[in-house]
Amino acid sequence: MPVVKTDELPIQTAADVVLARQAVRSAATSMGFSLVDQTKMVTAASELARNTLDYGGGGIVRIIHIEENPRRGLRLVFEDQGPGMPDVQLALKDGYTTGGGLGLGLGGARRLVNDFEIESAPGQGTRVTITRWK
């Protein structure tokens, strides 16, 4: 899969979450995504960036423009070195929360994208990869 362009941004503060959202919107716009698809990616990115900060103690996001002829896509990889998740399947269930929210974050983010992958283990951090195809 040819990677056309990759940007990496830190997620260490609330301001970084905002910058990540702006960078995702800019990338989606530059790739010609519709307003609806831009909004889906920005919404998913916002949730995952917030999780990276709040639950992972901070980390990074990689914004990757990919081309797999004939399709093009935008892939986001969120990584942290936080405590990890003991039960990924439980964390993906609507209504499950450890932070007092509505518990719609991970599952909601999964529904907004075409491809969703999560890797996490206690003490090893978390990596969430999402892709939206154009």
Side-chain angles (χ1 to χ4, degrees), residues 6 8 18 20-22 31 40-42 56 62 73 75 77 88 92 105-107 114 122 128 130 132:
T6 301
E8 187 174 299
V18 173
R21 287 175 46 180
Q22 292 170 344
M31 293 183 72
K40 287 179 178 181
M41 278 301 275
V42 170
R62 278 193 297 284
R75 178 165 294 154
V77 181
V88 170
L92 285 167
L106 284 176
N114 301 120
V128 180
I130 61 173
R132 182 113 196 134

Side-chain angles (χ1 to χ4, degrees), residues 55 80-88 118-127:
Y55 300 112
D80 67 60
Q81 300 300 315
M85 292 181 232
D87 188 337
V88 170
I118 186 166
E119 301 168 58
S120 186
Q124 297 181 16
T126 300
R127 177 186 301 129

Side-chain angles (χ1 to χ4, degrees), residues 7-19:
D7 292 314
E8 187 174 299
L9 301 171
I11 301 174
Q12 300 296 330
T13 67
D16 292 338
V17 172
V18 173
L19 292 174

Side-chain angles (χ1 to χ4, degrees), residues 30-114:
S30 74
M31 293 183 72
F33 278 87
S34 70
L35 183 56
V36 169
D37 286 344
Q38 290 174 40
T39 302
K40 287 179 178 181
M41 278 301 275
V42 170
T43 301
S46 182
E47 176 61 32
L48 297 172
R50 176 63 55 196
N51 284 357
T52 299
L53 179 61
D54 291 349
Y55 300 112
I60 61 158
V61 59
R62 278 193 297 284
I63 302 170
I64 306 165
H65 299 244
I66 51 178
E67 291 195 15
E68 282 182 0
N69 284 334
R71 62 186 188 165
R72 297 182 313 133
L74 182 59
R75 178 165 294 154
L76 308 177
V77 181
F78 294 85
E79 288 187 52
D80 67 60
Q81 300 300 315
M85 292 181 232
D87 188 337
V88 170
Q89 292 309 310
L90 180 61
L92 285 167
K93 286 188 177 181
D94 287 347
Y96 177 79
T97 180
T98 59
L102 295 176
L104 298 173
L106 284 176
R110 180 171 59 180
R111 288 188 294 275
L112 291 170
V113 298
N114 301 120

